Amino acid sequence: MGDLRLCTKCVLPETHETIAFDDHDGSCNICKQSEFKHENIDWDQKKKDLDELIVKYKGKYDYDCIIPFSGGKDSTFALYYLIKEYGLKPLVVRFDHGFLRSGVENNTKKVLRKLGADFHHYTPNWKVVQKLMLQSFLEKGDFCWHCHAGIFSYPMWVAIRYHVPLLFWGEPSAEYTAYYGYDQPEEVDEKRFNRFINLGINAKDMVIRLNGAVSERDLKPFSYPPLKELKKINCRSVCLGSFIPWDVKKQSKIIQDELGWEGDIVENVPPGYSYEKIECYMQGVRDYIKYIKRGYTRPTHLASIDIRNNRLKRNEALELMKKYEGRRPPSLDLFLDFIGLTEVEFM
């Protein structure tokens, strides 16, 4: 960790995106947002707002809503909650980034059969994905452009194609960053997409950067649909966690107990957090890159959430970080093979 300045309440460092420290007590703005969430929000009113939103759309289209779905803890809980609480008929939409772990595949089948929902699974062209991974890694030190751009834009195209105007995502970004606060309405729209999802590179930019190696047509699934198309269907795209208080530990327990959803062992994720990042077998590489660039990784993030929820003491968090951060992951070899770099070039 070196001499990184850390929040005095949680353990997020100064290199965490959007972080700012309070001059008075040294706590961070993410902790302040968490306090606001626990103390200042009328969650009963938020639940009524959710009831009203659902009444507006339920039973009026072939599907009541679209639930973008990885099969991880957040999207699984969103699916469970909306079916159990409201009896919705959702279209479950997965953008397959190419690195789904076998455990998440098993969970998905189990969950969909238990809850009963139609499933739309889309896998983009692997040759295109390889080019996108290399390009975004070389430019931004982040190979996940295709994944994040696809996950957040492809379901919007499905909404237009099937004329399903309501989309429910999982947690709001205010849980983890300060791009939006809990005191602001957070629509999952193009403004949010451009603000922090796509690394400042849109699909048209990517076509230019790849010098004609891919076409605009190839990158349509990674591009955000035109606003006029979304307005035509009266689209609303929201986070379920804007209406009910989000708590990943409690929610993971619910889906484990109710649906038989199972956690997994993931590189560089400490024991006790087996619900975290089980979707992607490149998680270890992503964390390793983050450690090289920012000096911290997922254990810091997980420990900070537990501190804010009074489940972990700060000194315990620091021990956890010391033990689990910064290791070279075995999946790095796979990654280098996929994008055609040597480890020396990678470094």
Side-chain angles (χ1 to χ4, degrees), residues 219 248 321:
L219 296 199
V248 289
M321 290 150 61

Side-chain angles (χ1 to χ4, degrees), residues 32-97:
K32 294 263 191 289
Q33 284 181 177
S34 181
E35 285 164 22
F36 184 89
K37 169 190 166 182
H38 289 113
E39 294 163 18
N40 297 75
I41 293 178
D42 181 351
W43 288 107
D44 292 338
Q45 181 55 51
K46 292 277 185 193
K47 178 71 167 65
K48 284 179 191 146
D49 296 344
L50 179 59
D51 297 344
E52 282 171 28
L53 179 66
I54 284 171
V55 165
K56 206 185 278 185
Y57 290 91
K58 189 178 179 183
K60 305 204 167 94
Y61 308 91
D62 287 346
Y63 295 97
D64 296 323
C65 66
I66 282 173
I67 300 177
F69 183 86
S70 66
K73 63 189 184 316
D74 297 305
S75 57
T76 301
F77 180 78
L79 178 63
Y80 166 81
Y81 182 87
L82 290 165
I83 288 179
K84 287 287 182 191
E85 182 76 9
Y86 291 101
L88 294 189
K89 176 184 169 68
L91 178 59
V92 181
V93 177
R94 174 189 273 161
F95 176 90
D96 182 344
H97 45 58

